[in-house]
Amino acid sequence: MRHKKAGRKLNRTASHRKALRRNMASALLEHERVITTPAKAKEVRRFVEPLITLAKRALPYKDSDEQDARSKYLHYYRQALSRLQDKKMVQKLFGEGQWRDGESLAQRYAGRPGGYTRIVRLAGSRLGMPVGGAVDEIPKFFYELGGKERSIKLTGNRLGDNAPQVVFELVEKEMPAQKEKDVTPAITVSEQRPPEENEPEEEAEA
């Protein structure tokens, strides 16, 4: 029985898993797209999305002059810093440091109720694919996602070129707006009055 033991072990010790989550979350926040395995991506998603939620909760108290509001903002900031332990990426989350005048991740997803990351599987086998020795010789994989054309380099895997890999990235700014469609009613109402039970039906004219 594994009661109260949620998550994946990933064939690592507890300290190694914590370091892996922090390092991969920092890389995702910095580059906004990484290539990893499906198990790692699902595990890091449970770690990085609550960090963005913390930054969103602190957004209303950011520029306030009240002492209580500043205390709440500092509380959320310290919570994210203690979990991620990367000051530069926490500043990118909250819009501090070099991101003070730009758009922070909290502002980017202010109108999005969750679901800040996306996992795209790279289907097909890469067994036997030639991988160049130099950076310019590494083949690229082009795909379209979110209306934009993107590309990744197929660098291979030392433990096995056929290992499954995914693209783990941050999603777009807002949820796509759903267009309203005119729906035709399935039931039509006739103007003719239906015959009563004891009333004989009128014979149709020949």
Side-chain angles (χ1 to χ4, degrees):
M1 296 292 180
R2 296 184 70 245
H3 296 301
K4 298 184 179 180
K5 296 184 182 297
R8 299 165 180 82
K9 291 187 176 181
L10 299 177
N11 199 21
R12 288 167 172 81
T13 60
S15 58
H16 196 175
R17 284 194 302 271
K18 290 180 182 178
L20 183 144
R21 285 195 297 262
R22 290 169 180 167
N23 294 337
M24 191 172 294
S26 299
L28 177 66
L29 295 176
E30 180 179 1
H31 304 287
E32 300 188 2
R33 184 181 62 183
V34 295
I35 302 175
T36 181
T37 61
K40 291 179 185 177
K42 292 178 182 179
E43 187 66 21
V44 176
R45 169 188 274 178
R46 301 172 59 249
F47 177 78
V48 71
E49 289 196 356
L51 294 177
I52 301 178
T53 304
L54 279 177
K56 286 176 56 179
R57 290 178 182 175
L59 197 59
Y61 312 108
K62 182 176 181 180
D63 298 325
S64 178
D65 296 333
E66 299 180 0
Q67 185 66 25
D68 294 342
R70 294 299 301 174
S71 300
K72 291 181 180 179
Y73 177 80
L74 186 60
H75 172 66
Y76 290 128
Y77 186 89
R78 286 176 173 173
Q79 273 190 322
L81 188 60
S82 64
R83 296 181 187 179
L84 188 59
Q85 296 186 5
D86 189 339
K87 184 177 180 180
K88 188 176 180 180
M89 291 302 101
V90 173
Q91 289 177 349
K92 184 177 182 180
L93 280 171
F94 287 79
E96 300 290 346
Q98 62 182 1
W99 291 277
R100 183 70 181 179
D101 299 330
E103 184 184 39
S104 64
L105 292 180
Q107 294 173 343
R108 180 191 302 182
Y109 298 118
R112 190 180 185 94
Y116 316 114
T117 59
R118 178 193 293 118
I119 298 176
V120 181
R121 292 181 177 271
L122 299 180
S125 172
R126 295 192 293 115
L127 185 61
M129 176 174 289
V131 178
V135 177
D136 298 335
E137 299 176 1
I138 296 177
K140 289 185 179 181
F141 171 74
F142 296 93
Y143 66 101
E144 186 176 351
L145 187 64
K148 298 180 181 179
E149 186 177 352
R150 313 189 184 199
S151 64
I152 57 174
K153 292 184 179 180
L154 300 176
T155 56
N157 190 340
R158 290 181 299 175
L159 299 179
D161 236 6
N162 204 26
Q165 290 188 343
V166 296
V167 179
F168 185 39
E169 61 183 359
L170 298 177
V171 299
E172 288 78 11
K173 183 176 181 179
E174 296 178 355
M175 295 285 289
Q178 296 182 355
K179 297 182 180 179
E180 297 182 358
K181 298 181 180 180
D182 297 333
V183 180
T184 304
I187 302 176
T188 57
V189 180
S190 177
E191 296 180 356
Q192 298 180 359
R193 182 176 61 87
E196 297 181 358
E197 295 181 357
N198 299 327
E199 181 180 353
E201 298 183 359
E202 297 181 359
E203 296 181 357
E205 296 180 1

